[in-house]
Amino acid sequence: MIIHWLSSIDSTNSEALRRLAQLPSGSVLAAYDQTAGRGQRGNSWFTEPGKNLTFSIVLKNLPLKASEGIRLNYLASVALVDFLDAKGVKAHIKWPNDIYVSGKKISGMLIENTLGPDGRVAASVIGIGLNVNQKEFPQLALATSLTLCTGREYALEASLEEFLAVFEGLLPQLSAGELMGRYASRLFRSGVSARYHDLLTDEEYEGVIEGVEDDGRLRIRDLGGRTRLYRFKEVSYLL
Ligand code: BTN
């Protein structure tokens, strides 16, 4: 993978999409300062300049149909969890792809795919924000960073290279089923009883996260024994 470090950019995802035609597969755009980072659901992604990793990985010619694009989320999520494991930090994936440590978010991702005329994923921009050396999060009560977890400081460049080595090592599994199993095994609240708000029926209930379907839907079994399946924005986690 070839890393291009940018001193300042609005959003590495936006820049990768603008330069998509010129960037070969395996290119990575990383920014020391991201001034208009984009998050999920149209949110912004705030990060202190020079403290954290904000980067986008460009992949092309993937063996994925549009409906299989969800596997990129599994890949990036498992790579983040494995990378953090290697640092001694036990993280979980809050479905669909937020990475949490002890109830606080350490990393988020925004994956933007373009589809080819054959309906396959022609290119994917996998944008990842990983909190590394930031110690205070004024806008976010429930955020954490690698340094807050371990008390150590990390070189951003070396950390990105380490993460990308983990990510690249998992790439051959993109088409294999075991990636989904590894993702499911690290889901936040997996196998434990907790409360959820079903946004489809406006019902609050207690249930257990059992895993994910092939299409990425979250599977929760409620205490009445009924299996409920959710797409993004159809369920929220209650405390
Ligand atoms: C989220 O949890 O809401 C997703 C956050 C994704 C942030 C990353 S930082 C690098 C890349 N560029 C962006 O503008 N967003 C992603």
Side-chain angles (χ1 to χ4, degrees), residues 10-14 34 36-41 43 45 53-56 98 105 107-110 127-129:
D10 54 350
S11 147
T12 56
N13 264 39
S14 303
Q34 185 173 248
R38 296 188 287 115
Q40 299 279 349
R41 300 172 287 269
N43 289 332
W45 182 257
L53 284 175
T54 48
F55 60 97
S56 301
D98 289 339
K105 184 161 165 175
S107 176
M109 67 190 72
L110 179 66
I128 295 177

Side-chain angles (χ1 to χ4, degrees), residues 150-161:
T150 65
R152 295 184 47 200
E153 292 258 316
Y154 299 85
L156 293 182
E157 298 81 358
S159 302
L160 180 55
E161 278 169 30

